[in-house]
Amino acid sequence: FYEFAPRSSASEDDKEDSAWEPQKKVPRSRKQPVLKESKPKRVRRVKKTSLQISDGSEGVAVKEELNNSVAVAKVDLEDRKIKLDTVQTLKTAKTKRKNSAQSPSGQRTKKLKVDEETNRASTMESGHESAETPSTSATWEGACKKEENGDDFTFGQSPLKKMKTETCPQGQPVRLPANATNIKEEVEMNWDIVQVLSERTNIELWVCANIIRLFNDDNTIPFIIRYRKELINNLDADSLREVRQTLEELRAVAKKVHSTIQKIKKEGKMSECLLKTLLNCKTFEELEHVSAPYKTGSKGTKAQRAKQLGLEGAARTLLENPGQLNLLSYIKPDVKGLSALQDIETGVQHILADMIAKDKDTLDFIRKLCQNRYICIQSSLAKVSSKKVNEKDVNKFLLYQNFSCNIRNIQHHQILAINRGENLKILTVKVNISDGVKNEFCRWCIQNRWRPRGFARPELMKILHNSLDDSFKRLIYPLLCREFRAKLTSDAEKESVMMFGRNLRQLLLTSPVPGRTLMGVDPGYKHGCKLAIISPTSQILHTDVVYLHCGQGFREAEKIKRLLLNFNCSTVVIGNGTACRETEAYFADLIMKNYFAPLDVVYCIVSEAGASIYSVSPEANKEMPGLDPNLRSAVSIARRVQDPLAELVKIEPKHIGVGMYQHDVSQTLLKATLDSVVEECVSFVGVDINICSEVLLRHIAGLNANRAKNIIEWREKNGPFVNREQLKKVKGLGPKSFQQCAGFIRVNQDYIRTFCSSQQTESSGQIQGVAGTSSAGVEITNEKQGKKKNKTAGNVTLKPDPLDQTCIHPESYDIAMRFLSFIRGTLCEIGKPEMEQKINAFLEKEGIEKIAESLQTTVHTLQVIIDGLSQPESFDFRTDFDKPDFKRSIVCLEDLQVGTVLTGKVENATLFGIFVDIGVGRSGLIPIRNVTEAKLSKTKKRRSLGLGPGERVEVQVLNIDIPRSRITLDLIRVL
């Protein structure tokens, strides 16, 4: 069931996984099967049809491969073989559809886009849903696939939904065949994508091959990290994202190379040598150089104009047979550009300069030369600093007004700062290549690459020397500068985006403060401070506006006290925007006077970045209709403390304000990375399917806005989800989406017990019986789905499954049940201390490796099962992380002294330092040189190597610059 995927291309992700329709307007080949539009059928039905793989030898290959790498119980072998055949048939159908527009001979030889790994699926015991999980396998790319006969897939019934097999359904490690790392790409190049990916990311070949397969199979990062860990050798999410980004870059290069080849072929300029060179290109820069001479320029270059005058022959003769060259013979007094000897020499010089600058060997030599020489980047204040530029802006770039640094040592943040200054027309930037490099380059050219074949007269050598000078100065030097700066900028942008991602993760995983009634305060002067009181379940209890900073503070204090007492609220959350300091001082003063007695009131400051943008969004309008946008931001500020993740996902990540130069970097890269981080955080925390919001659901791995909407609609129409299996009934949620999201969606058992008893479908006492009969509930679901034509709820009684409240994936339920029988545990003990005792005792006795072996699964999968069974029902791993800093008093900037030791909270981490809120209204900066490995705590769970938002630190004041409001700090330790 969920090892089949509905779509092969990632670009179709947003479309619903509804039944596959054949593409129209595609000429069909004679043997194309007639596929009617239909709803998906149960996979099991296929068993009844005996299918043949057209080529007998191919079938043997599949079986042999299975025997090599898969340990399968004999009982299941026959069953699986049939399923395998089905998979092969479906895969071929897919290939066939893709190639239907091509000639029949082309169809027969085209290989699959990506061949899948064979895998060792655990032997299933009958009686649980996982019994139907097929162990998929396909022949490796060595063997070309032959097309099967049309009647192979014309079953007597409407066909299956177009599916894609999932490699390693049980997350089993695989012994790869010899050519396992050869992955067939859509666009073929002369280099191996796995090899290049491995070199660029410093990750083993086999891991890269697995990652490519997993991504080609439309697996999401959270799913891979949690349930396919052994296939990626325990990589973390950031590394996985980096690999995906590099992979996309390589594929983009390959695509562009092929479109360039088509263009050049059209113009009839393609040679075998050029084709080979183009197919060797691994970067856009390389491609640019190889294809540059074949570009059709709108305005001809100097060299092109000289060629049009017929001087190309003269230039070639100068190099190949200088003795025969007579430049005087080219003079034509009445033609502009050929009227004097000087004009002809200049024309020849331009042609030679162009040839030199576009020669691969020459460029390789100069690049290699630059690697070993001192090349520096310099920035200075622009001479004609335009009048529009603000003086304040100029002062921001004080550091870079006379700056010089070796390009090998320059920091990423310095590059981004220089680029910003240049864009604002405040700085001029240049790359300095020393004269020594130029002289050595010219010497090498004259003596080696561009040495004339034969004696050249001094006047001809002078032309050659001038050509080299001109080529270096006018063409090669600007090219090198562009290359160096493009590389530096690209690296700096990537690092900046990664840093933003790390900060965002840390912020999203801030520990929630549940079970408190909170008062959110959005500070303001003239328009007053907006108040919102929210209940422990995030419901809005009351909203109001108070004017604290217009001389009415005393009168308003009474109102605030009355509100806090009425709602028994003792925690105030203040947004850190305009008037934050004054509002904080106001509350601190009242707290110190014990004004709110008998309540012990505390307050905390929270970032309000993005709150105002969210408050006027359609999302906020839908969630809080009729409420003034200003009051909505006060609600958002309070909810950020109560459940940071649920609130912050509503805001576009780049507005959360924990980045560095985020407006200067590639917005597509930034968006992709941040969306991926949000998906990772939401998925790992998990959502309760029956109470979570649509916004939160969108960010679960495998879901999108459309699917989340359908789930909410289904829930509103049919009542709560009783178990995970019911998700399959939701429109647009196919097997692949279910596989990706199922492990991150929880079904709270208490909620279901209440629901079941109120519906009188089953008494809650029977839940304990599920241990023996949980498969029965699933059987009913599956049967129903097979019989009913549309995915609507029926009157079938559904049984809750206690495993649905854990992080265990449904594909591993069978293993979990067998593990439970090993330790003599029951499902009603999940998350209780008795369960933990039983598991620990059994692990001590047997050892985790041995248990995994006897369950025929991997240690990683077993670890997920152990975690799922032993974690308490309402477990939230965010509780290990930092809570907001609650305070009762205040300090101001003037009170600080050098040497004062304070505790503070990290607000933002950048590449040049860490900003820390020490409660004085201005963040202090710990320069990056003061953050050493020794000062970072070892015991605490570290989410990333450095420090990130939300962490509490002890710091010492090193320097206070009151005019510029700057505080420099030293890190003492992480608390």
Side-chain angles (χ1 to χ4, degrees):
F1 53 113
Y2 18 75
E3 267 65 48
F4 287 102
R7 287 270 182 270
S8 62
S9 91
S11 62
E12 291 180 13
D13 200 29
D14 288 337
K15 295 183 187 173
E16 290 182 4
D17 288 22
S18 50
W20 170 71
E21 274 189 71
Q23 291 172 328
K24 291 171 179 63
K25 295 182 187 167
V26 175
R28 294 194 177 280
S29 58
R30 194 171 53 81
K31 290 182 182 176
Q32 187 74 10
V34 184
L35 294 175
K36 287 178 283 189
E37 184 183 340
S38 71
K39 292 285 169 194
K41 296 279 173 190
R42 282 171 61 226
V43 178
R44 250 168 108 176
R45 297 279 284 273
V46 183
K47 285 192 203 172
K48 294 172 191 170
T49 318
S50 66
L51 301 166
Q52 296 295 316
I53 291 178
S54 64
D55 194 325
S57 62
E58 205 171 330
V60 175
V62 176
K63 267 182 256 170
E64 266 174 19
E65 207 168 331
L66 255 169
N67 296 339
N68 284 344
S69 57
V70 188
V72 184
K74 286 180 183 174
V75 195
D76 281 13
L77 203 56
E78 210 44 52
D79 189 323
R80 272 165 210 242
K81 182 181 170 295
I82 294 167
K83 281 181 195 165
L84 256 173
D85 295 358
T86 315
V87 170
Q88 294 285 58
T89 312
L90 287 165
K91 289 278 266 177
T92 314
K94 186 170 100 183
T95 319
K96 187 165 180 180
R97 182 169 68 90
K98 208 184 275 178
N99 301 334
S100 58
Q102 297 173 2
S103 66
S105 60
Q107 278 180 6
R108 291 184 185 283
T109 51
K110 189 125 185 210
K111 299 174 192 172
L112 278 177
K113 177 178 159 189
V114 166
D115 292 283
E116 300 194 336
E117 248 173 275
T118 335
N119 53 307
R120 183 161 61 80
S122 59
T123 54
M124 301 299 166
E125 291 182 1
S126 54
H128 208 276
E129 61 188 81
S130 296
E132 284 189 31
T133 309
S135 164
T136 61
S137 165
T139 43
W140 288 88
E141 69 147 357
C144 235
K145 278 215 148 190
K146 295 244 170 71
E147 224 175 62
E148 272 124 281
N149 289 332
D151 27 325
D152 274 358
F153 359 84
T154 328
F155 313 131
Q157 46 186 311
S158 49
L160 284 146
K161 181 175 188 173
K162 182 175 80 75
M163 288 172 183
K164 187 160 104 189
T165 57
E166 160 62 32
T167 54
C168 317
Q170 295 305 321
Q172 302 291 11
V174 178
R175 201 173 71 207
L176 297 166
N179 63 341
T181 52
N182 299 343
I183 288 191
K184 184 84 169 66
E185 285 290 306
E186 267 182 1
V187 180
E188 280 194 36
M189 298 293 284
N190 282 356
W191 37 265
D192 177 24
I193 197 158
V194 182
Q195 192 83 42
V196 179
L197 193 61
S198 176
E199 284 163 17
R200 289 201 186 172
T201 55
N202 288 326
I203 290 169
E204 297 98 317
L205 273 172
W206 68 273
V207 180
C208 286
N210 279 348
I211 291 172
I212 295 176
R213 285 195 183 87
L214 287 164
F215 282 141
N216 285 343
D217 265 344
D218 296 335
N219 288 297
T220 57
I221 287 178
F223 177 81
I224 296 171
I225 295 285
R226 184 172 282 175
Y227 302 112
R228 297 289 182 265
K229 227 178 168 96
E230 65 289 326
L231 291 179
I232 57 163
N233 203 17
N234 287 336
L235 284 183
D236 63 2
D238 286 336
S239 311
L240 210 50
R241 258 190 290 279
E242 211 176 317
V243 175
R244 183 166 68 182
Q245 194 188 314
T246 313
L247 179 65
E248 281 166 6
E249 273 173 29
L250 287 171
R251 282 179 172 163
V253 169
K255 217 172 175 180
K256 193 162 181 193
V257 164
H258 277 258
S259 67
T260 308
I261 289 171
Q262 295 311 316
K263 270 185 202 163
I264 296 174
K265 273 184 181 169
K266 236 181 194 173
E267 290 162 16
K269 296 177 185 172
M270 182 58 76
S271 67
E272 206 172 304
C273 174
L274 175 63
L275 181 66
K276 191 180 169 189
T277 316
L278 281 168
L279 289 173
N280 282 334
C281 293
K282 293 177 195 170
T283 64
F284 287 115
E285 285 80 19
E286 278 181 60
L287 174 61
E288 186 60 36
H289 296 310
V290 177
S291 62
Y294 304 92
K295 279 187 177 173
T296 45
S298 49
K299 177 167 93 74
T301 59
K302 288 180 175 180
Q304 280 171 332
R305 289 200 290 273
K307 282 176 185 173
Q308 281 161 8
L309 292 169
L311 294 175
E312 191 172 5
R316 292 200 179 278
T317 310
L318 193 152
L319 291 172
E320 287 160 14
N321 195 355
Q324 303 289 315
L325 182 61
N326 178 11
L327 292 178
L328 294 170
S329 64
Y330 286 91
I331 295 177
K332 292 179 182 171
D334 50 340
V335 179
K336 190 186 173 186
L338 296 175
S339 53
L341 183 62
Q342 178 65 42
D343 293 343
I344 289 165
E345 284 181 355
T346 310
V348 170
Q349 180 188 312
H350 287 155
I351 291 172
L352 286 172
D354 188 64
M355 285 162 71
I356 293 165
K358 284 177 178 173
D359 178 64
K360 189 176 182 297
D361 293 345
T362 309
L363 290 173
D364 285 347
F365 175 79
I366 186 76
R367 282 198 196 105
K368 203 169 179 188
L369 194 60
C370 288
Q371 276 174 13
N372 310 319
R373 293 304 171 89
Y374 178 80
I375 313 279
C376 74
I377 187 165
Q378 296 175 328
S379 69
S380 54
L381 199 59
K383 289 187 177 70
V384 270
S385 209
S386 64
K387 286 160 191 163
K388 292 176 195 168
V389 174
N390 189 338
E391 189 63 36
K392 209 172 171 186
D393 284 345
V394 176
N395 291 338
K396 283 181 187 170
F397 294 96
L398 214 57
L399 276 174
Y400 300 103
Q401 286 175 13
N402 193 9
F403 175 85
S404 173
C405 184
N406 186 338
I407 61 167
R408 280 195 286 279
N409 304 338
I410 193 163
Q411 301 295 310
H412 296 305
H413 65 89
Q414 292 172 324
I415 285 290
L416 294 169
I418 288 171
N419 288 354
R420 183 181 281 185
E422 188 178 35
N423 291 338
L424 292 171
K425 310 262 190 304
I426 293 170
L427 301 176
T428 47
V429 186
K430 66 173 187 172
V431 175
N432 212 345
I433 298 176
S434 65
D435 287 344
V437 173
K438 180 190 167 185
N439 297 339
E440 194 172 329
F441 167 72
C442 292
R443 201 163 47 244
W444 176 82
C445 287
I446 289 287
Q447 289 172 4
N448 298 287
R449 184 77 182 88
W450 300 98
R451 188 178 185 171
R453 293 178 194 165
F455 172 73
R457 299 187 299 282
E459 64 269 26
L460 295 181
M461 284 309 286
K462 190 185 172 199
I463 293 175
L464 187 57
H465 276 289
N466 288 346
S467 301
L468 283 168
D469 272 358
D470 180 42
S471 181
F472 186 85
K473 191 174 162 189
R474 184 168 58 87
L475 302 168
I476 294 174
Y477 170 70
L479 170 81
L480 291 173
C481 291
R482 283 198 303 274
E483 268 184 23
F484 289 138
R485 291 204 56 195
K487 174 90 174 75
L488 289 170
T489 302
S490 156
D491 289 351
E493 283 194 359
K494 278 181 195 164
E495 190 50 48
S496 171
V497 169
M498 294 290 278
M499 175 66 85
F500 199 148
R502 288 195 290 270
N503 287 347
L504 179 65
R505 181 191 294 112
Q506 203 121 343
L507 196 65
L508 291 174
L509 295 179
T510 307
S511 185
V513 181
R516 289 198 199 193
T517 303
L518 302 176
M519 176 188 275
V521 181
D522 183 5
Y525 291 114
K526 206 160 75 180
H527 299 293
C529 297
K530 280 64 74 180
L531 307 180
I533 295 180
I534 62 165
S535 72
T537 56
S538 282
Q539 301 304 311
I540 303 168
L541 301 175
H542 182 81
T543 54
D544 217 324
V545 180
V546 289
Y547 297 89
L548 308 181
H549 313 302
C550 308
Q552 302 177 27
F554 290 117
R555 227 177 337 164
E556 300 289 25
E558 196 52 49
K559 188 180 188 179
I560 294 170
K561 182 178 180 178
R562 197 170 60 247
L563 286 174
L564 291 176
L565 287 167
N566 285 353
F567 294 102
N568 193 23
C569 169
S570 59
T571 310
V572 178
V573 184
I574 303 169
N576 68 348
T578 318
C580 164
R581 292 298 291 157
E582 291 80 353
T583 309
E584 183 185 3
Y586 176 85
F587 275 98
D589 187 45
L590 293 177
I591 291 168
M592 293 305 279
K593 290 176 182 168
N594 210 4
Y595 182 79
F596 299 118
L599 292 174
D600 178 18
V601 175
V602 289
Y603 71 88
C604 70
I605 309 287
V606 72
S607 162
E608 60 173 57
S612 50
I613 294 173
Y614 165 69
S615 65
V616 291
S617 68
E619 213 51 74
N621 204 14
K622 192 175 163 189
E623 196 184 345
M624 300 177 253
L627 194 63
D628 180 275
N630 292 319
L631 294 168
R632 282 179 194 159
S633 56
V635 173
S636 177
I637 285 166
R639 285 179 177 168
R640 284 178 186 210
V641 169
Q642 199 167 52
D643 190 349
L645 183 63
E647 194 56 30
L648 291 170
V649 293
K650 299 172 187 174
I651 295 152
E652 205 180 330
K654 69 177 181 190
H655 296 313
I656 290 175
V658 286
M660 179 189 77
Y661 297 100
Q662 65 261 38
H663 303 294
D664 299 1
V665 302
S666 154
Q667 293 303 299
T668 38
L669 174 62
L670 183 68
K671 188 174 182 339
T673 306
L674 299 187
D675 288 349
S676 173
V677 170
V678 173
E679 178 185 72
E680 175 201 332
C681 294
V682 176
S683 298
F684 285 171
V685 170
V687 298
D688 183 343
I689 188 72
N690 290 318
I691 57 171
C692 70
S693 68
E694 188 183 319
V695 185
L696 205 55
L697 211 48
R698 276 177 205 166
H699 297 285
I700 286 284
L703 299 183
N704 55 24
N706 231 337
R707 291 172 198 150
K709 186 166 161 262
N710 291 344
I711 288 174
I712 300 294
E713 281 172 5
W714 195 97
R715 190 173 80 189
E716 284 166 2
K717 188 178 167 192
N718 303 299
F721 287 87
V722 175
N723 58 26
R724 281 173 174 166
E725 282 295 311
Q726 277 183 295
L727 281 166
K728 293 179 177 177
K729 299 177 189 175
V730 176
K731 182 186 168 199
L733 216 134
K736 188 73 195 182
S737 304
F738 176 79
Q739 182 207 29
Q740 297 301 306
C741 74
F744 306 114
I745 282 174
R746 310 269 193 276
V747 182
N748 185 308
Q749 297 302 297
D750 289 340
Y751 189 91
I752 296 306
R753 278 185 208 113
T754 319
F755 168 70
C756 286
S757 57
S758 67
Q759 295 287 311
Q760 274 122 34
T761 50
E762 268 187 39
S763 64
S764 56
Q766 280 184 319
I767 281 189
Q768 291 178 15
V770 178
T773 61
S774 71
S775 58
V778 176
E779 284 302 320
I780 291 166
T781 314
N782 279 350
E783 230 171 280
K784 184 175 154 236
Q785 212 179 327
K787 285 175 190 167
K788 287 188 86 72
K789 288 212 169 124
N790 55 349
K791 293 186 174 188
T792 52
N795 304 321
V796 185
T797 303
L798 289 159
K799 285 198 173 81
D801 189 335
L803 289 173
D804 288 344
Q805 75 190 23
T806 66
C807 59
I808 302 169
H809 198 283
E811 69 185 12
S812 308
Y813 280 5
D814 176 61
I815 301 167
M817 295 304 294
R818 284 188 287 144
F819 178 69
L820 272 179
S821 65
F822 274 14
I823 63 168
R824 295 193 166 76
T826 60
L827 285 173
C828 55
E829 290 175 341
I830 290 178
K832 300 208 171 111
E834 308 92 86
M835 176 67 83
E836 209 166 340
Q837 286 162 11
K838 285 180 182 177
I839 290 173
N840 291 341
F842 193 67
L843 286 177
E844 274 173 39
K845 187 174 143 201
E846 297 285 334
I848 194 161
E849 282 91 359
K850 200 175 168 192
I851 303 168
E853 207 175 307
S854 58
L855 286 167
Q856 287 177 310
T857 186
T858 64
V859 173
H860 293 296
T861 307
L862 183 56
Q863 191 57 56
V864 171
I865 291 169
I866 289 169
D867 291 345
L869 294 175
S870 53
Q871 282 163 356
E873 195 167 317
S874 56
F875 175 76
D876 186 341
F877 80 101
R878 290 175 294 171
T879 47
D880 292 344
F881 305 139
D882 304 278
K883 283 190 168 60
D885 218 353
F886 292 109
K887 304 187 280 188
R888 291 184 177 82
S889 59
I890 191 170
V891 194
C892 60
L893 185 62
E894 286 72 23
D895 299 344
L896 284 183
Q897 287 180 336
V898 173
T900 311
V901 174
L902 301 154
T903 59
K905 193 172 137 196
V906 176
E907 267 197 339
N908 193 6
T910 65
L911 300 169
F912 53 85
I914 311 289
F915 288 99
V916 179
D917 177 7
I918 49 173
V920 295
R922 291 292 308 182
S923 294
L925 176 71
I926 308 174
I928 203 74
R929 62 177 177 274
N930 295 346
V931 183
T932 58
E933 198 65 42
K935 293 176 185 176
L936 300 178
S937 64
K938 301 281 182 288
T939 50
K940 205 163 171 219
K941 269 197 178 175
R942 298 227 59 83
R943 275 160 286 177
S944 57
L945 262 170
L947 285 164
E951 298 206 53
R952 299 193 62 237
V953 287
E954 190 172 25
V955 291
Q956 185 174 24
V957 180
L958 291 181
N959 182 30
I960 306 157
D961 181 349
I962 292 180
R964 292 167 77 192
S965 293
R966 288 192 176 176
I967 308 160
T968 310
L969 305 169
D970 185 20
L971 175 65
I972 298 174
R973 64 195 176 104
V974 180
L975 299 172

